[in-house]
């Protein structure tokens, strides 16, 4: 049975690859596994059929035979564990790569999500402008620490791994804010991720799906 994932029928980002299905597509491309995509509308995501796959009514989900997964961290870890190409064979190196996956999701992504919330959801509040520098400072703090650890290395810990896949995916969301421009080594790191053929295939696939989707009704 072919692996099946869900993705936005029409992504609000206009096909810039920022929705979280892109990281799952990227992981599948890295390990060379074919997959099919089931597009879902915002309304369908909250219906029982989708809630049976994802308790929070979100995308992406992952189905393979009888296995149903949600949460991109769990999905990418499953893919990396099941197929070769995203985690090193050495047990310690493997554990370190998984640490970077968790760091991307639990330490670096939260302040970046705060920025999205501050802009898109709280932007019209009277205190929004006052809060924005605090939100940006939290991101800068993390980026400074990450840049320090990366140094001049190509990837976070030896060869490219699921840890880098997740970190690059998370950092990509900063592009529109230009904050990343102040961290040239991180910008170059993200560019290296985007230049990987597997990422380019994943990006093109989500863009094609967006282009061919019917206009929102
Ligand atoms: N922790 C979960 C995971 O990692 O899988 C989070 C999943 C999640 O947030 N899914 C979002 C969703 O389904 C899509 S990716 N949202 C609909 C809902 O909650 O009702 C988040 C996202 C959405 C849009 C953009 N964008 O347009 O730029 C970027 C990212």
């Amino acid at each position: 049975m072919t692996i099946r994932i869900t993705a936005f029928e029409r992504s609000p980002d206009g096909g810039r690859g920022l929705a979280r299905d892109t990281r799952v597509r990227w992981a599948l491309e890295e390990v060379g596994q074919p997959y099919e995509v089931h597009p879902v509308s915002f309304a369908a995501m909250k219906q029982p059929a989708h809630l049976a796959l994802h308790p929070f009514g979100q995308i992406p989900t992952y189905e393979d035979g009888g296995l149903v997964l949600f949460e991109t961290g769990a999905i990418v870890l499953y893919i990396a564990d099941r197929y070769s190409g995203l985690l090193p064979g050495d047990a310690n190196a493997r554990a370190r790569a998984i640490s970077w996956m968790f760091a991307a999701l639990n330490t670096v992504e939260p302040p970046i999500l705060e920025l999205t919330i501050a802009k898109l959801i709280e932007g019209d509040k009277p205190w929004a402008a006052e809060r924005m520098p605090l939100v940006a400072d939290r991101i800068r703090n993390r980026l400074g620490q990450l840049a320090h650890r990366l140094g001049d290395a190509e990837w976070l810990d030896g060869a490219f791994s699921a840890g880098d896949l997740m970190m690059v995916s998370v950092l990509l969301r900063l592009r529109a804010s230009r904050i990343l421009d102040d961290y040239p080594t991180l910008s170059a790191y993200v560019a290296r991720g985007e230049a990987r053929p597997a990422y380019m295939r994943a990006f093109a696939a989500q863009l094609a799906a967006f282009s061919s989707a019917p206009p929102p009704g």
Side-chain angles (χ1 to χ4, degrees):
M1 186 190 160
T2 310
I3 293 164
R4 184 175 110 140
I5 68 167
T6 51
F8 281 138
E9 186 175 73
R10 194 175 179 88
S11 178
D13 73 355
R16 285 184 295 142
L18 301 178
R20 286 184 175 84
D21 57 290
T22 303
R23 53 185 77 165
V24 174
R25 294 173 187 262
W26 185 6
L28 287 166
E29 293 287 355
E30 289 283 352
V31 301
Q33 285 301 308
Y35 61 97
E36 59 187 45
V37 180
H38 179 64
V40 282
S41 67
F42 276 94
M45 269 188 265
K46 310 303 174 195
Q47 296 302 312
H50 188 74
L51 287 168
L53 305 177
H54 196 307
F56 307 115
Q58 297 183 312
I59 61 98
T61 57
Y62 177 98
E63 291 167 83
D64 186 9
L67 176 68
V68 180
L69 295 175
F70 60 96
E71 284 296 334
T72 51
I75 296 169
V76 172
L77 182 54
Y78 174 80
I79 294 167
D81 202 40
R82 170 112 165 63
Y83 307 101
S84 66
L86 279 172
L87 284 175
D90 174 74
N92 286 358
R94 199 177 179 90
R96 289 197 303 273
I98 294 170
S99 292
W100 280 115
M101 288 184 69
F102 278 85
L105 294 171
N106 289 349
T107 304
V108 179
E109 190 166 49
I112 294 175
L113 286 182
E114 267 308 306
L115 182 67
T116 308
I117 292 167
K119 281 185 178 166
L120 299 184
I121 300 174
E122 300 169 352
D124 60 347
K125 302 283 187 252
W127 38 262
E130 201 178 344
R131 183 166 177 259
M132 200 59 88
L134 300 176
V135 175
D137 277 355
R138 278 185 212 120
I139 296 174
R140 289 182 184 284
N141 181 37
R142 287 292 176 244
L143 295 185
Q145 293 168 321
L146 186 63
H148 180 72
R149 172 55 82 99
L150 181 67
D152 294 328
E154 197 178 5
W155 305 113
L156 287 167
D157 191 322
F160 176 84
S161 78
D164 295 297
L165 183 152
M166 205 53 96
M167 192 64 81
V168 169
S169 299
V170 162
L171 294 177
L172 271 168
R173 283 195 78 172
L174 276 178
R175 175 155 289 150
S177 75
R178 316 294 314 175
I179 292 179
L180 213 48
D181 296 354
D182 297 335
Y183 301 84
T185 55
L186 293 184
S187 293
Y189 170 67
V190 170
R192 278 193 291 280
E194 288 178 293
R196 291 181 71 81
Y199 177 83
M200 291 197 278
R201 287 194 297 273
F203 182 87
Q206 64 79 37
L207 183 61
F210 179 83
S211 316
S212 62

